[in-house]
Short mmCIF file of all heavy atoms in Angstrom, two decimals:
data_model
loop_
_atom_site.label_atom_id
_atom_site.label_comp_id
_atom_site.label_asym_id
_atom_site.label_seq_id
_atom_site.Cartn_x
_atom_site.Cartn_y
_atom_site.Cartn_z
N ASN A 93 224.37 172.42 -38.48
CA ASN A 93 224.19 172.83 -37.07
C ASN A 93 224.99 174.12 -36.84
O ASN A 93 225.46 174.71 -37.80
CB ASN A 93 224.58 171.69 -36.13
CG ASN A 93 226.01 171.28 -36.32
OD1 ASN A 93 226.89 172.09 -36.61
ND2 ASN A 93 226.29 169.97 -36.18
N ASN A 94 225.13 174.49 -35.59
CA ASN A 94 225.82 175.76 -35.25
C ASN A 94 227.27 175.83 -35.73
O ASN A 94 227.80 176.89 -35.93
CB ASN A 94 225.82 175.96 -33.73
CG ASN A 94 224.46 176.34 -33.24
OD1 ASN A 94 223.63 176.77 -34.03
ND2 ASN A 94 224.21 176.15 -31.95
N GLU A 95 227.86 174.61 -35.88
CA GLU A 95 229.30 174.56 -36.22
C GLU A 95 229.55 174.42 -37.74
O GLU A 95 230.67 174.61 -38.19
CB GLU A 95 229.97 173.36 -35.53
CG GLU A 95 229.70 173.26 -34.03
CD GLU A 95 230.09 174.52 -33.31
OE1 GLU A 95 231.12 175.11 -33.69
OE2 GLU A 95 229.32 174.95 -32.43
N THR A 96 228.51 174.03 -38.48
CA THR A 96 228.72 173.67 -39.90
C THR A 96 229.33 174.77 -40.73
O THR A 96 228.87 175.94 -40.67
CB THR A 96 227.38 173.23 -40.52
OG1 THR A 96 226.85 172.18 -39.72
CG2 THR A 96 227.54 172.75 -41.96
N LEU A 97 230.33 174.42 -41.50
CA LEU A 97 230.96 175.37 -42.42
C LEU A 97 230.54 175.07 -43.87
O LEU A 97 230.37 173.92 -44.23
CB LEU A 97 232.48 175.33 -42.32
CG LEU A 97 233.08 175.81 -40.99
CD1 LEU A 97 234.57 175.58 -40.97
CD2 LEU A 97 232.77 177.30 -40.76
N LEU A 98 230.41 176.11 -44.63
CA LEU A 98 230.14 176.01 -46.08
C LEU A 98 231.33 176.59 -46.80
O LEU A 98 232.02 177.48 -46.29
CB LEU A 98 228.91 176.85 -46.47
CG LEU A 98 227.58 176.56 -45.83
CD1 LEU A 98 226.58 177.66 -46.19
CD2 LEU A 98 227.06 175.21 -46.31
N TYR A 99 231.53 176.14 -48.02
CA TYR A 99 232.51 176.81 -48.90
C TYR A 99 231.71 177.78 -49.75
O TYR A 99 230.73 177.39 -50.39
CB TYR A 99 233.21 175.76 -49.77
CG TYR A 99 234.07 176.39 -50.86
CD1 TYR A 99 235.42 176.66 -50.62
CD2 TYR A 99 233.54 176.65 -52.12
CE1 TYR A 99 236.21 177.22 -51.62
CE2 TYR A 99 234.33 177.23 -53.13
CZ TYR A 99 235.68 177.49 -52.85
OH TYR A 99 236.43 178.05 -53.84
N LEU A 100 232.10 179.04 -49.73
CA LEU A 100 231.40 180.06 -50.52
C LEU A 100 232.41 180.99 -51.18
O LEU A 100 233.09 181.74 -50.49
CB LEU A 100 230.43 180.82 -49.61
CG LEU A 100 229.52 181.84 -50.27
CD1 LEU A 100 228.62 181.19 -51.31
CD2 LEU A 100 228.65 182.55 -49.22
N ASP A 101 232.51 180.87 -52.49
CA ASP A 101 233.38 181.79 -53.26
C ASP A 101 234.78 181.90 -52.69
O ASP A 101 235.29 183.01 -52.46
CB ASP A 101 232.73 183.18 -53.38
CG ASP A 101 231.51 183.15 -54.26
OD1 ASP A 101 231.43 182.28 -55.14
OD2 ASP A 101 230.59 183.98 -54.02
N GLY A 102 235.38 180.77 -52.43
CA GLY A 102 236.80 180.79 -52.01
C GLY A 102 237.02 180.89 -50.49
O GLY A 102 238.14 180.87 -50.03
N LYS A 103 235.91 181.03 -49.74
CA LYS A 103 236.06 181.17 -48.27
C LYS A 103 235.24 180.08 -47.58
O LYS A 103 234.27 179.59 -48.16
CB LYS A 103 235.55 182.54 -47.81
CG LYS A 103 236.29 183.70 -48.34
CD LYS A 103 235.94 184.94 -47.51
CE LYS A 103 236.62 186.17 -48.05
NZ LYS A 103 235.92 186.75 -49.21
N PHE A 104 235.60 179.79 -46.34
CA PHE A 104 234.76 178.91 -45.52
C PHE A 104 233.97 179.77 -44.56
O PHE A 104 234.54 180.56 -43.82
CB PHE A 104 235.64 177.89 -44.81
CG PHE A 104 236.25 176.90 -45.78
CD1 PHE A 104 237.51 177.12 -46.32
CD2 PHE A 104 235.54 175.80 -46.21
CE1 PHE A 104 238.06 176.26 -47.25
CE2 PHE A 104 236.08 174.91 -47.16
CZ PHE A 104 237.34 175.15 -47.68
N VAL A 105 232.66 179.62 -44.61
CA VAL A 105 231.79 180.49 -43.78
C VAL A 105 230.82 179.62 -42.99
O VAL A 105 230.50 178.50 -43.39
CB VAL A 105 230.99 181.46 -44.65
CG1 VAL A 105 231.91 182.44 -45.37
CG2 VAL A 105 230.11 180.73 -45.68
N LYS A 106 230.34 180.14 -41.88
CA LYS A 106 229.39 179.39 -41.06
C LYS A 106 228.03 179.35 -41.76
O LYS A 106 227.52 180.38 -42.18
CB LYS A 106 229.24 180.05 -39.70
CG LYS A 106 230.33 179.64 -38.73
CD LYS A 106 229.84 179.77 -37.31
CE LYS A 106 230.70 178.89 -36.41
NZ LYS A 106 230.22 178.85 -35.05
N ALA A 107 227.46 178.13 -41.85
CA ALA A 107 226.14 177.98 -42.48
C ALA A 107 225.13 178.87 -41.77
O ALA A 107 224.28 179.52 -42.40
CB ALA A 107 225.70 176.52 -42.45
N ASN A 108 225.24 178.95 -40.44
CA ASN A 108 224.31 179.72 -39.64
C ASN A 108 224.34 181.22 -39.95
O ASN A 108 223.32 181.89 -39.79
CB ASN A 108 224.64 179.54 -38.15
CG ASN A 108 223.63 178.66 -37.49
OD1 ASN A 108 222.61 178.34 -38.08
ND2 ASN A 108 223.93 178.27 -36.26
N ASP A 109 225.48 181.71 -40.35
CA ASP A 109 225.63 183.16 -40.59
C ASP A 109 225.41 183.53 -42.06
O ASP A 109 225.53 184.69 -42.43
CB ASP A 109 227.04 183.64 -40.21
CG ASP A 109 227.36 183.35 -38.77
OD1 ASP A 109 226.40 183.18 -38.00
OD2 ASP A 109 228.56 183.26 -38.42
N SER A 110 225.16 182.50 -42.90
CA SER A 110 225.12 182.78 -44.34
C SER A 110 223.76 183.31 -44.76
O SER A 110 222.73 182.88 -44.26
CB SER A 110 225.41 181.49 -45.13
OG SER A 110 226.62 180.98 -44.70
N THR A 111 223.79 184.21 -45.71
CA THR A 111 222.54 184.78 -46.25
C THR A 111 222.61 184.77 -47.77
O THR A 111 223.67 184.52 -48.33
CB THR A 111 222.39 186.25 -45.79
OG1 THR A 111 223.56 186.95 -46.25
CG2 THR A 111 222.23 186.37 -44.30
N LEU A 175 236.60 171.10 -47.12
CA LEU A 175 235.28 171.26 -46.48
C LEU A 175 234.94 170.02 -45.65
O LEU A 175 234.46 170.13 -44.51
CB LEU A 175 234.22 171.49 -47.55
CG LEU A 175 232.79 171.71 -47.03
CD1 LEU A 175 232.67 173.11 -46.44
CD2 LEU A 175 231.78 171.54 -48.14
N LYS A 178 237.09 170.06 -42.52
CA LYS A 178 236.69 171.08 -41.57
C LYS A 178 235.41 170.69 -40.84
O LYS A 178 235.18 171.06 -39.70
CB LYS A 178 236.49 172.44 -42.26
CG LYS A 178 237.81 173.13 -42.63
CD LYS A 178 237.50 174.52 -43.14
CE LYS A 178 238.73 175.19 -43.75
NZ LYS A 178 239.85 175.35 -42.85
N ASN A 179 234.55 169.95 -41.52
CA ASN A 179 233.28 169.55 -40.90
C ASN A 179 233.34 168.14 -40.32
O ASN A 179 232.32 167.62 -39.87
CB ASN A 179 232.15 169.62 -41.94
CG ASN A 179 231.74 171.06 -42.24
OD1 ASN A 179 231.33 171.78 -41.35
ND2 ASN A 179 231.91 171.47 -43.49
N TYR A 191 225.17 179.57 -58.28
CA TYR A 191 223.93 180.35 -58.30
C TYR A 191 224.20 181.81 -58.68
O TYR A 191 225.31 182.31 -58.53
CB TYR A 191 223.18 180.23 -56.97
CG TYR A 191 223.85 180.84 -55.78
CD1 TYR A 191 223.53 182.15 -55.35
CD2 TYR A 191 224.82 180.14 -55.06
CE1 TYR A 191 224.14 182.72 -54.25
CE2 TYR A 191 225.44 180.69 -53.94
CZ TYR A 191 225.09 181.99 -53.56
OH TYR A 191 225.72 182.55 -52.46
N VAL A 206 229.69 180.37 -56.13
CA VAL A 206 229.71 178.88 -55.99
C VAL A 206 229.66 178.57 -54.51
O VAL A 206 230.44 179.11 -53.70
CB VAL A 206 230.89 178.22 -56.71
CG1 VAL A 206 232.23 178.63 -56.14
CG2 VAL A 206 230.76 176.70 -56.68
N LEU A 207 228.73 177.70 -54.19
CA LEU A 207 228.56 177.23 -52.82
C LEU A 207 228.81 175.73 -52.81
O LEU A 207 228.42 175.03 -53.74
CB LEU A 207 227.08 177.48 -52.42
CG LEU A 207 226.52 176.71 -51.25
CD1 LEU A 207 227.04 177.27 -49.94
CD2 LEU A 207 224.99 176.73 -51.26
N ILE A 208 229.51 175.25 -51.78
CA ILE A 208 229.58 173.79 -51.57
C ILE A 208 229.14 173.51 -50.15
O ILE A 208 229.70 174.07 -49.19
CB ILE A 208 230.98 173.21 -51.82
CG1 ILE A 208 231.58 173.71 -53.15
CG2 ILE A 208 230.96 171.67 -51.81
CD1 ILE A 208 233.04 173.27 -53.41
#
Side-chain angles (χ1 to χ4, degrees):
N93 59 35
N94 285 342
E95 309 306 319
T96 304
L97 292 175
L98 301 171
Y99 171 91
L100 185 59
D101 291 332
K103 296 197 183 80
F104 291 93
V105 296
K106 277 205 158 186
N108 253 351
D109 301 338
S110 305
T111 56
L175 182 75
K178 285 187 190 300
N179 286 300
Y191 67 96
V206 63
L207 161 77
I208 311 175

